[in-house]
mmCIF file of all heavy atoms in Angstrom:
data_model
loop_
_atom_site.group_PDB
_atom_site.id
_atom_site.type_symbol
_atom_site.label_atom_id
_atom_site.label_comp_id
_atom_site.label_asym_id
_atom_site.label_seq_id
_atom_site.Cartn_x
_atom_site.Cartn_y
_atom_site.Cartn_z
ATOM 1 N N ARG A 494 1.911 -9.929 25.873
ATOM 2 C CA ARG A 494 1.727 -11.344 26.224
ATOM 3 C C ARG A 494 2.538 -12.248 25.296
ATOM 4 O O ARG A 494 3.233 -13.155 25.763
ATOM 5 C CB ARG A 494 0.247 -11.706 26.168
ATOM 6 C CG ARG A 494 -0.057 -13.162 26.528
ATOM 7 C CD ARG A 494 -1.534 -13.475 26.407
ATOM 8 N NE ARG A 494 -2.007 -13.406 25.036
ATOM 9 C CZ ARG A 494 -1.848 -14.369 24.137
ATOM 10 N NH1 ARG A 494 -1.222 -15.494 24.458
ATOM 11 N NH2 ARG A 494 -2.312 -14.232 22.906
ATOM 12 N N VAL A 495 2.453 -11.987 24.009
ATOM 13 C CA VAL A 495 3.105 -12.910 23.061
ATOM 14 C C VAL A 495 4.605 -12.648 22.944
ATOM 15 O O VAL A 495 5.321 -13.458 22.333
ATOM 16 C CB VAL A 495 2.438 -12.841 21.670
ATOM 17 C CG1 VAL A 495 0.964 -13.201 21.763
ATOM 18 C CG2 VAL A 495 2.633 -11.491 21.008
ATOM 19 N N THR A 496 5.082 -11.549 23.515
ATOM 20 C CA THR A 496 6.529 -11.263 23.484
ATOM 21 C C THR A 496 7.155 -11.375 24.866
ATOM 22 O O THR A 496 8.269 -10.881 25.082
ATOM 23 C CB THR A 496 6.791 -9.846 22.924
ATOM 24 O OG1 THR A 496 6.137 -8.878 23.764
ATOM 25 C CG2 THR A 496 6.292 -9.710 21.494
ATOM 26 N N ASP A 497 6.442 -12.001 25.795
ATOM 27 C CA ASP A 497 6.942 -12.148 27.171
ATOM 28 C C ASP A 497 7.293 -10.800 27.790
ATOM 29 O O ASP A 497 8.304 -10.658 28.491
ATOM 30 C CB ASP A 497 8.162 -13.074 27.218
ATOM 31 C CG ASP A 497 7.829 -14.502 26.809
ATOM 32 O OD1 ASP A 497 6.715 -14.969 27.131
ATOM 33 O OD2 ASP A 497 8.676 -15.149 26.153
ATOM 34 N N GLY A 498 6.466 -9.805 27.478
ATOM 35 C CA GLY A 498 6.621 -8.493 28.088
ATOM 36 C C GLY A 498 7.536 -7.535 27.357
ATOM 37 O O GLY A 498 7.624 -6.358 27.726
ATOM 38 N N ARG A 499 8.227 -7.984 26.300
ATOM 39 C CA ARG A 499 9.185 -7.120 25.596
ATOM 40 C C ARG A 499 8.508 -6.009 24.801
ATOM 41 O O ARG A 499 8.978 -4.877 24.763
ATOM 42 C CB ARG A 499 10.028 -7.944 24.626
ATOM 43 C CG ARG A 499 11.144 -8.764 25.247
ATOM 44 C CD ARG A 499 12.063 -9.307 24.155
ATOM 45 N NE ARG A 499 12.770 -8.236 23.474
ATOM 46 C CZ ARG A 499 12.484 -7.798 22.257
ATOM 47 N NH1 ARG A 499 11.471 -8.307 21.566
ATOM 48 N NH2 ARG A 499 13.200 -6.825 21.715
ATOM 49 N N GLY A 500 7.477 -6.354 24.085
ATOM 50 C CA GLY A 500 6.851 -5.408 23.174
ATOM 51 C C GLY A 500 7.322 -5.618 21.744
ATOM 52 O O GLY A 500 8.145 -6.499 21.450
ATOM 53 N N ALA A 501 6.815 -4.790 20.844
ATOM 54 C CA ALA A 501 7.126 -4.898 19.418
ATOM 55 C C ALA A 501 8.350 -4.059 19.068
ATOM 56 O O ALA A 501 8.476 -2.919 19.508
ATOM 57 C CB ALA A 501 5.935 -4.443 18.584
ATOM 58 N N ASP A 502 9.229 -4.622 18.274
ATOM 59 C CA ASP A 502 10.414 -3.880 17.835
ATOM 60 C C ASP A 502 10.054 -2.849 16.767
ATOM 61 O O ASP A 502 10.630 -1.757 16.734
ATOM 62 C CB ASP A 502 11.461 -4.847 17.281
ATOM 63 C CG ASP A 502 11.901 -5.849 18.331
ATOM 64 O OD1 ASP A 502 12.640 -5.452 19.241
ATOM 65 O OD2 ASP A 502 11.483 -7.025 18.232
ATOM 66 N N VAL A 503 9.118 -3.201 15.886
ATOM 67 C CA VAL A 503 8.659 -2.299 14.831
ATOM 68 C C VAL A 503 7.138 -2.340 14.786
ATOM 69 O O VAL A 503 6.541 -3.414 14.867
ATOM 70 C CB VAL A 503 9.235 -2.696 13.449
ATOM 71 C CG1 VAL A 503 8.662 -1.806 12.346
ATOM 72 C CG2 VAL A 503 10.757 -2.615 13.457
ATOM 73 N N ILE A 504 6.517 -1.165 14.670
ATOM 74 C CA ILE A 504 5.068 -1.067 14.503
ATOM 75 C C ILE A 504 4.790 -0.289 13.234
ATOM 76 O O ILE A 504 5.303 0.820 13.048
ATOM 77 C CB ILE A 504 4.387 -0.378 15.700
ATOM 78 C CG1 ILE A 504 4.646 -1.154 16.993
ATOM 79 C CG2 ILE A 504 2.882 -0.239 15.452
ATOM 80 C CD1 ILE A 504 4.052 -0.486 18.242
ATOM 81 N N LEU A 505 3.988 -0.869 12.346
ATOM 82 C CA LEU A 505 3.541 -0.190 11.129
ATOM 83 C C LEU A 505 2.096 0.211 11.358
ATOM 84 O O LEU A 505 1.212 -0.639 11.470
ATOM 85 C CB LEU A 505 3.667 -1.108 9.920
ATOM 86 C CG LEU A 505 3.337 -0.483 8.559
ATOM 87 C CD1 LEU A 505 4.331 0.629 8.211
ATOM 88 C CD2 LEU A 505 3.340 -1.547 7.461
ATOM 89 N N ASP A 506 1.841 1.517 11.405
ATOM 90 C CA ASP A 506 0.540 2.018 11.849
ATOM 91 C C ASP A 506 -0.165 2.828 10.771
ATOM 92 O O ASP A 506 0.439 3.697 10.140
ATOM 93 C CB ASP A 506 0.718 2.903 13.086
ATOM 94 C CG ASP A 506 -0.597 3.510 13.542
ATOM 95 O OD1 ASP A 506 -1.541 2.743 13.790
ATOM 96 O OD2 ASP A 506 -0.690 4.745 13.615
ATOM 97 N N ILE A 507 -1.451 2.540 10.572
ATOM 98 C CA ILE A 507 -2.279 3.286 9.628
ATOM 99 C C ILE A 507 -3.290 4.184 10.325
ATOM 100 O O ILE A 507 -4.008 4.921 9.664
ATOM 101 C CB ILE A 507 -3.031 2.323 8.688
ATOM 102 C CG1 ILE A 507 -3.957 1.398 9.493
ATOM 103 C CG2 ILE A 507 -2.063 1.530 7.828
ATOM 104 C CD1 ILE A 507 -4.897 0.566 8.654
ATOM 105 N N MET A 508 -3.334 4.133 11.665
ATOM 106 C CA MET A 508 -4.402 4.813 12.401
ATOM 107 C C MET A 508 -4.046 6.235 12.833
ATOM 108 O O MET A 508 -4.911 7.088 12.962
ATOM 109 C CB MET A 508 -4.797 3.985 13.626
ATOM 110 C CG MET A 508 -5.430 2.643 13.273
ATOM 111 S SD MET A 508 -6.890 2.806 12.224
ATOM 112 C CE MET A 508 -8.002 3.652 13.347
ATOM 113 N N GLY A 509 -2.787 6.490 13.108
ATOM 114 C CA GLY A 509 -2.399 7.843 13.490
ATOM 115 C C GLY A 509 -2.771 8.184 14.917
ATOM 116 O O GLY A 509 -2.473 7.445 15.859
ATOM 117 N N GLY A 510 -3.440 9.324 15.084
ATOM 118 C CA GLY A 510 -3.686 9.879 16.409
ATOM 119 C C GLY A 510 -4.338 8.929 17.395
ATOM 120 O O GLY A 510 -3.938 8.860 18.564
ATOM 121 N N ALA A 511 -5.325 8.191 16.979
ATOM 122 C CA ALA A 511 -6.084 7.340 17.884
ATOM 123 C C ALA A 511 -5.233 6.256 18.537
ATOM 124 O O ALA A 511 -5.536 5.800 19.639
ATOM 125 C CB ALA A 511 -7.263 6.701 17.144
ATOM 126 N N TYR A 512 -4.154 5.839 17.870
ATOM 127 C CA TYR A 512 -3.333 4.743 18.374
ATOM 128 C C TYR A 512 -1.985 5.201 18.924
ATOM 129 O O TYR A 512 -1.211 4.372 19.392
ATOM 130 C CB TYR A 512 -3.076 3.728 17.250
ATOM 131 C CG TYR A 512 -4.159 2.689 17.045
ATOM 132 C CD1 TYR A 512 -5.441 2.851 17.567
ATOM 133 C CD2 TYR A 512 -3.903 1.540 16.307
ATOM 134 C CE1 TYR A 512 -6.431 1.906 17.359
ATOM 135 C CE2 TYR A 512 -4.881 0.581 16.095
ATOM 136 C CZ TYR A 512 -6.147 0.770 16.619
ATOM 137 O OH TYR A 512 -7.116 -0.175 16.409
ATOM 138 N N LEU A 513 -1.689 6.491 18.865
ATOM 139 C CA LEU A 513 -0.329 6.939 19.180
ATOM 140 C C LEU A 513 0.117 6.516 20.577
ATOM 141 O O LEU A 513 1.183 5.901 20.743
ATOM 142 C CB LEU A 513 -0.212 8.451 19.021
ATOM 143 C CG LEU A 513 1.173 9.042 19.314
ATOM 144 C CD1 LEU A 513 2.230 8.452 18.384
ATOM 145 C CD2 LEU A 513 1.150 10.563 19.195
ATOM 146 N N GLY A 514 -0.668 6.832 21.593
ATOM 147 C CA GLY A 514 -0.272 6.503 22.959
ATOM 148 C C GLY A 514 -0.124 5.014 23.179
ATOM 149 O O GLY A 514 0.855 4.539 23.790
ATOM 150 N N ARG A 515 -1.069 4.244 22.673
ATOM 151 C CA ARG A 515 -1.004 2.795 22.856
ATOM 152 C C ARG A 515 0.119 2.170 22.034
ATOM 153 O O ARG A 515 0.726 1.175 22.454
ATOM 154 C CB ARG A 515 -2.350 2.160 22.509
ATOM 155 C CG ARG A 515 -3.413 2.385 23.583
ATOM 156 C CD ARG A 515 -4.653 1.549 23.312
ATOM 157 N NE ARG A 515 -5.413 2.074 22.179
ATOM 158 C CZ ARG A 515 -6.345 1.375 21.542
ATOM 159 N NH1 ARG A 515 -6.595 0.117 21.878
ATOM 160 N NH2 ARG A 515 -7.015 1.932 20.554
ATOM 161 N N ASN A 516 0.403 2.731 20.876
ATOM 162 C CA ASN A 516 1.536 2.228 20.102
ATOM 163 C C ASN A 516 2.846 2.402 20.861
ATOM 164 O O ASN A 516 3.690 1.502 20.885
ATOM 165 C CB ASN A 516 1.613 2.935 18.753
ATOM 166 C CG ASN A 516 0.705 2.324 17.699
ATOM 167 O OD1 ASN A 516 0.395 1.140 17.751
ATOM 168 N ND2 ASN A 516 0.282 3.134 16.753
ATOM 169 N N VAL A 517 3.036 3.567 21.462
ATOM 170 C CA VAL A 517 4.257 3.790 22.248
ATOM 171 C C VAL A 517 4.315 2.798 23.401
ATOM 172 O O VAL A 517 5.367 2.225 23.711
ATOM 173 C CB VAL A 517 4.329 5.245 22.749
ATOM 174 C CG1 VAL A 517 5.483 5.421 23.728
ATOM 175 C CG2 VAL A 517 4.489 6.208 21.573
ATOM 176 N N ALA A 518 3.176 2.560 24.044
ATOM 177 C CA ALA A 518 3.128 1.593 25.148
ATOM 178 C C ALA A 518 3.465 0.184 24.674
ATOM 179 O O ALA A 518 4.018 -0.623 25.430
ATOM 180 C CB ALA A 518 1.744 1.614 25.797
ATOM 181 N N ALA A 519 3.139 -0.122 23.420
ATOM 182 C CA ALA A 519 3.382 -1.468 22.895
ATOM 183 C C ALA A 519 4.802 -1.664 22.381
ATOM 184 O O ALA A 519 5.199 -2.794 22.079
ATOM 185 C CB ALA A 519 2.393 -1.768 21.769
ATOM 186 N N LEU A 520 5.591 -0.587 22.279
ATOM 187 C CA LEU A 520 6.946 -0.702 21.752
ATOM 188 C C LEU A 520 7.896 -1.372 22.742
ATOM 189 O O LEU A 520 7.792 -1.183 23.958
ATOM 190 C CB LEU A 520 7.511 0.682 21.429
ATOM 191 C CG LEU A 520 7.058 1.364 20.142
ATOM 192 C CD1 LEU A 520 7.593 2.787 20.099
ATOM 193 C CD2 LEU A 520 7.506 0.577 18.904
ATOM 194 N N ALA A 521 8.837 -2.122 22.205
ATOM 195 C CA ALA A 521 9.938 -2.649 23.005
ATOM 196 C C ALA A 521 10.982 -1.563 23.223
ATOM 197 O O ALA A 521 10.945 -0.503 22.583
ATOM 198 C CB ALA A 521 10.576 -3.836 22.275
#
Side-chain angles (χ1 to χ4, degrees):
R494 180 182 66 80
V495 301
T496 60
D497 295 324
R499 283 191 66 255
D502 300 286
V503 176
I504 300 177
L505 185 64
D506 177 56
I507 61 171
M508 294 303 294
Y512 275 17
L513 180 60
R515 285 190 288 164
N516 276 333
V517 172
L520 282 173

